[in-house]
Amino acid sequence: MMSAGNETNVSTYLRPKGDDAAKMSSLCAASAAATVPTTLAASGQGDEYVFKMPMPPGAAAKNKPNYRIIKGATAGHLSSVSSVKFSADGDYLVSASADRLLKLWDVRTIQSYQTLAGHEKGINEVVCAQNGKLIVSCGDDKMVKLWDSNSNSCVMTMQGHLNCVFCCCFNPQTNLILSASFDGLVHLWDLRTGRILKRLAAHGDPITSVDFNRTGSHFITSSHDGFIRMWESATFHLVKTLLTDDDNPVVGHAKFSPNGKYILSSTFDNTHKLWNYEKSKVLRRYTGHKNECYCLTANFSVTGGMWIVSGSEDKSLCIWSLQTNKLVQKIDTNGDLVICTDCHPKENIIATGSLEKPFTVKTWKSCE
């Protein structure tokens, strides 16, 4: 197992050159090669589903989503499903659970074909790399684990956190991993060595999410303290702090939009917010769901129309028009308390995971 190392200048990791990539393991080198070039990502080219700037309500698309369940998992987890993520190519779905297991699912049949074991306590988040091969997970055992989906094996265990690790993510170049824990600390890991490059005391309360922008130049953190903070990846310099509301509700989740120009946040006041972070301004508020107790993941769906998607504590799946903020579909999840969702990168498919029995993983498809 890897241990913490001395802090290192990370600017060279953000745009790995050919000689740097050659020094990486075959897994990491393959991931870096599969990533969209930084120049394309920054300009918005090379992305089939680029997120567009919010338009006035009259300019919104007339089509409405019509999501229906495809199939519910019959042989799933033994405890709460905490995270579901599609691979970057959409070929498979991975779920994480409090039962300490990761499961890989066939997207078409929603049958589990592989179980990955190695965490000693419940898993809080799982994320897939850009090439669809690498998977990172983190959990209450204070560990961050790197997995190879081809060999179905754990290839690296990263240790250094002193508290439960609640969230993690890859940078777009897939040579760095961010992880954050209940003690408010962020760790930046070198994927090639498993060493900690930098540590950051980002918040005074537990951190609920971390996310890189599409170039990897900046990342955001959200916390129980009610703040969203943006940081420079190379220096860990604090760039911006967003206060979600006057009464400081817990921020359960925050992520960048696909083009990196906006932030979508979820707070314990039954609200999702779309931010223009440069102006520290809320552009849209999405309501009609219930979120007062759990960290809900809200997502952008841009394969058909442009929607905001999340679960709800009233046991429903909610879909809003991104442009008008209207709740356009609210689906009964048949008793599933859904706190984790994800949207397929190429098709109009949503994955959900259930917090309560029978701990199912389901997929929903729209014919829009």
Side-chain angles (χ1 to χ4, degrees):
M1 294 183 180
M2 305 295 176
S3 59
N6 295 327
E7 294 190 0
T8 306
N9 189 319
V10 300
S11 59
T12 57
Y13 290 77
L14 300 179
R15 292 182 178 85
K17 297 179 175 63
D19 55 345
D20 292 327
K23 298 176 184 178
M24 298 172 71
S25 68
S26 58
L27 287 175
C28 300
S31 298
T35 305
V36 176
T38 301
T39 53
L40 292 182
S43 65
Q45 301 174 22
D47 189 340
E48 187 177 357
Y49 305 110
V50 174
F51 173 87
K52 299 177 182 179
M53 182 175 292
M55 303 289 288
K62 295 181 179 180
N63 292 339
K64 290 186 177 181
N66 184 29
Y67 280 91
R68 299 175 183 273
I69 191 168
I70 298 176
K71 188 175 181 181
T74 55
H77 288 283
L78 301 177
S79 190
S80 300
V81 181
S82 54
S83 181
V84 289
K85 297 289 171 56
F86 287 104
S87 61
D89 55 13
D91 284 350
Y92 67 87
L93 175 71
V94 59
S95 61
S97 171
D99 65 7
R100 303 177 293 177
L101 301 176
L102 298 174
K103 285 185 177 289
L104 274 60
W105 305 80
D106 184 288
V107 173
R108 303 303 167 192
T109 64
I110 311 302
Q111 293 297 315
S112 175
Y113 64 86
Q114 186 65 46
T115 298
L116 305 179
H119 277 281
E120 297 174 4
K121 293 185 178 180
I123 304 172
N124 293 315
E125 185 162 34
V126 62
V127 179
C128 299
Q130 290 285 346
N131 72 338
K133 185 176 184 181
L134 293 176
I135 298 170
V136 64
S137 61
C138 60
D140 288 349
D141 55 8
K142 309 174 187 177
M143 296 181 189
V144 180
K145 286 182 175 287
L146 186 69
W147 308 81
D148 179 1
S149 64
N150 288 348
S151 64
N152 299 315
S153 61
C154 179
V155 295
M156 188 180 295
T157 296
M158 291 163 274
Q159 291 182 284
H161 280 287
L162 301 178
N163 211 317
C164 301
V165 188
F166 194 73
C167 48
C168 56
C169 66
F170 291 100
N171 72 332
Q173 294 80 7
T174 320
N175 57 0
L176 299 172
I177 290 175
L178 272 177
S179 60
S181 59
F182 269 30
D183 55 14
L185 296 180
V186 173
H187 287 182
L188 184 68
W189 306 85
D190 181 351
L191 204 59
R192 297 170 292 186
T193 65
R195 292 175 56 244
I196 297 173
L197 298 174
K198 279 187 176 293
R199 298 175 178 86
L200 172 67
H203 296 268
D205 290 328
I207 297 175
T208 56
S209 65
V210 290
D211 191 34
F212 280 103
N213 67 354
R214 63 179 298 162
T215 65
S217 62
H218 294 79
F219 67 90
I220 54 174
T221 57
S222 65
S223 170
H224 279 250
D225 61 15
F227 295 111
I228 301 168
R229 290 187 168 133
M230 181 181 296
W231 312 83
E232 287 184 354
S233 300
T235 64
F236 273 28
H237 172 70
L238 178 62
V239 177
K240 179 87 64 174
T241 296
L242 301 177
L243 175 63
T244 54
D245 231 321
D246 292 339
D247 57 354
N248 250 32
V250 171
V251 187
H253 189 255
K255 68 185 301 182
F256 282 102
S257 62
N259 67 358
K261 295 182 178 180
Y262 309 97
I263 292 173
L264 179 64
S265 66
S266 305
T267 47
F268 281 25
D269 59 354
N270 309 305
T271 308
H272 302 305
K273 301 180 184 75
L274 183 69
W275 295 81
N276 178 332
Y277 58 81
E278 290 186 354
K279 297 182 179 180
S280 300
K281 181 180 179 181
V282 176
L283 300 177
R284 303 283 190 274
R285 294 174 184 264
Y286 307 94
T287 60
H289 65 299
K290 183 179 180 180
N291 184 196
E292 298 174 352
C293 301
Y294 299 103
C295 295
L296 296 184
T297 56
N299 298 280
F300 295 92
S301 174
V302 294
T303 53
M306 294 204 300
W307 318 115
I308 299 297
V309 175
S310 85
S312 175
E313 292 168 13
D314 62 6
K315 299 184 178 180
S316 65
L317 175 63
C318 296
I319 304 168
W320 294 264
S321 166
L322 185 149
Q323 304 289 14
T324 68
N325 75 4
K326 180 180 178 182
L327 181 60
V328 292
Q329 189 175 8
K330 189 165 185 175
I331 309 166
D332 185 348
T333 56
N334 298 316
D336 288 352
L337 201 171
V338 172
I339 62 170
C340 57
T341 58
D342 197 33
C343 298
H344 195 279
K346 299 177 181 178
E347 301 182 44
N348 302 330
I349 299 175
I350 298 170
T352 61
S354 177
L355 186 72
E356 299 175 345
K357 286 184 177 181
F359 311 122
T360 55
V361 173
K362 295 178 180 177
T363 54
W364 313 74
K365 187 170 185 178
S366 176
C367 299
E368 64 197 73

